[in-house]
Amino acid sequence: MALLKILEFPDPRLRTIAEPVETVDDEIKTLIDDMFETMYDAPGIGLAATQVNVHKRIVVIDISEDKSEPLVLINPEFEVLTEEHEQMQEGCLSVPGFYENVDRPNRIRLKALNRDGEPYELVAEELLAVCIQHELDHLNGKLFVDHISRLKRDRIRTKLEKKHKLEAAQA
Ligand code: QAP
Ligand code: CO
């Protein structure tokens, strides 16, 4: 197992559109295991392969308190099941230290493949629904900061660019 390096906003590689997985082989399974280790270490509740600079349609999620509900999403798709929206404060491992409210549909149906490459479906609500939509955005090169005002996004960009300059100077 290995901890992977997480790309941070405004890294342009986060804008890459991920490619579908053709076969769930050992290489993909190792990547999934490393993504879980990286997410739990952070700690976080969701991580997309895009964030670790692998541009394949793979997401890992665990919204439980005790790492007991790992969810693997390969080639995920969702449909919105309600007009109702949820406003939730979102964060992101690729936007460390910043949290903003985002509006999203609060009930969706997910279709994906699991770690064994088998198809499954589930209906998700509230935090899980929000988390799935947030992570699927990553696979399409989108970030939660794209859902907030330009002013807020630009402030976050400036602060993170400063942090990255400091980190580079210390390296
Ligand atoms: C996406 O985000 C999410 O800023 C997953 O310093 C978040 O796991 C969906 C994290 C909230 C819905 C609601 C963020 C860790 C983790 C940080 C995460 C940080 C350390 C974010
Ligand atoms: Co994120």
Side-chain angles (χ1 to χ4, degrees), residues 42-109:
I45 59 170
L47 183 69
T50 309
Q51 294 177 271
V52 295
N53 202 27
V54 176
H55 301 289
K56 295 184 177 153
R57 304 191 79 81
I58 303 171
V59 163
V60 299
I61 288 176
D62 191 338
I63 61 163
S64 73
E65 302 260 306
D66 55 356
K67 312 181 177 181
S68 63
E69 290 164 32
L71 195 61
V72 173
L73 294 71
I74 300 172
N75 299 343
E77 291 175 27
F78 76 94
E79 59 177 299
V80 172
L81 296 180
T82 173
E83 308 267 287
E84 277 174 70
H85 281 234
E86 185 94 13
Q87 204 177 100
M88 204 175 280
Q89 193 159 63
E90 294 187 22
C92 180
L93 289 169
S94 295
V95 191
F98 296 90
Y99 303 85
E100 296 289 344
N101 280 332
V102 177
D103 232 282
R104 300 187 193 262
N106 80 352
R107 198 172 145 87
I108 62 167
R109 184 192 315 278

Side-chain angles (χ1 to χ4, degrees), residues 3-4 27 39 66 71 109 122 124 135 151 154-155 164:
L3 288 181
L4 306 171
E27 192 188 329
M39 178 183 78
D66 55 356
L71 195 61
R109 184 192 315 278
L122 65 81
E135 300 308 331
L151 179 66
D154 286 348
R155 283 190 184 140
H164 297 154

